[in-house]
Amino acid sequence: MATAPLTFYSFPLSGHAHRVALMLSLLDIPHRRVDVDLRQKEQKRPEFLAMNAFGQVPVIDDNGVVVADSNAILVYLAKRHGGGAWLPEDPAGAASVQRWLSVAAGPLAGGPAAARLVTVFGASFDVEATLARAHALLAVMDGELAQRDFLAGGAPTIADVACYAYVAHAPEGNVSLADYPHVRAWLARIENLPRFVPMASTAAGLLAA
């Protein structure tokens, strides 16, 4: 019996959700997308909390296997569908990817992503602190990407997928990428991958009319 397509619970302006959307597209995985209206607090309704008690998108339901958290979903998809290409099996390679997943959950979330939350969603963060964290992270990324094409080595991995959206959309949070040529070149390499899909942009921050 044929299995049903994977169900992907998303929100169009979420960089966390875009990680999953991008991975599903890069791996050409059939799926059904269900947009969750965060403004209407649909993510806090009992039926959604039954899938993710934290009340956050994204979530996937792969024929009864429910996985929440964007980075956890990337690991799941890479293990199930990636054939070893997106998450190395060797200890050093796996550790290098994990390092950047931690960056995505830490400095990236507290820097570029938080700065964008201020301008796009009106979050009440310390603006100067978020901008400082964003530029500190970008400086490190630019230095490392001067040495290799992708974050964890010479080929793309889920590390790149995890970090792409909030870096690409950093200008929406008033974070300029002008001083980071290697970061910009890395973004272009990701955008040139087969089946790349962009995240919707907003007219905020440096992109405001």
Side-chain angles (χ1 to χ4, degrees):
M1 180 181 295
T3 57
L6 175 153
T7 301
F8 165 38
Y9 296 89
S10 179
F11 179 70
L13 295 180
S14 165
H16 287 75
H18 180 263
R19 294 171 186 171
V20 177
L22 179 55
M23 195 80 250
L24 288 168
S25 184
L26 292 171
L27 294 176
D28 199 20
I29 299 171
H31 62 280
R32 178 177 70 97
R33 192 180 81 182
V34 176
D35 284 335
V36 179
D37 191 339
L38 304 189
R39 296 183 177 91
Q40 295 299 317
K41 305 295 184 182
E42 289 182 357
Q43 77 278 19
K44 302 300 182 182
R45 294 178 180 175
E47 58 271 26
F48 191 88
L49 292 173
M51 295 187 294
N52 182 6
F54 289 107
Q56 298 170 332
V57 294
V59 175
I60 63 168
D61 183 345
D62 188 10
N63 288 277
V65 178
V66 176
V67 186
D69 181 86
S70 59
N71 289 343
I73 295 169
L74 293 182
V75 171
Y76 175 84
L77 295 176
K79 285 287 191 180
R80 181 162 171 76
H81 299 283
W86 291 89
L87 179 56
E89 293 291 339
D90 68 284
S96 182
V97 168
Q98 180 57 58
R99 175 190 182 219
W100 287 103
L101 296 183
S102 296
V103 169
L108 183 67
R116 180 175 174 270
L117 284 173
V118 172
T119 57
V120 176
F121 298 104
S124 56
F125 297 138
D126 182 324
V127 173
E128 293 305 316
T130 62
L131 293 177
R133 288 194 293 267
H135 285 290
L137 170 62
L138 289 167
V140 171
M141 291 182 72
D142 202 66
E144 298 216 5
L145 288 165
Q147 305 171 49
R148 54 187 178 272
D149 285 346
F150 295 97
L151 291 175
T157 66
I158 61 172
D160 303 285
V161 178
C163 292
Y164 169 80
Y166 287 123
V167 174
H169 289 258
E172 294 174 25
N174 285 317
V175 179
S176 173
L177 301 178
D179 293 335
Y180 310 107
H182 302 295
V183 169
R184 297 198 309 274
W186 166 73
L187 293 173
R189 283 190 286 273
I190 296 173
E191 291 160 4
N192 284 326
L193 293 173
R195 294 186 297 274
F196 169 82
V197 290
M199 185 172 84
S201 295
T202 62
L206 300 178
L207 301 186

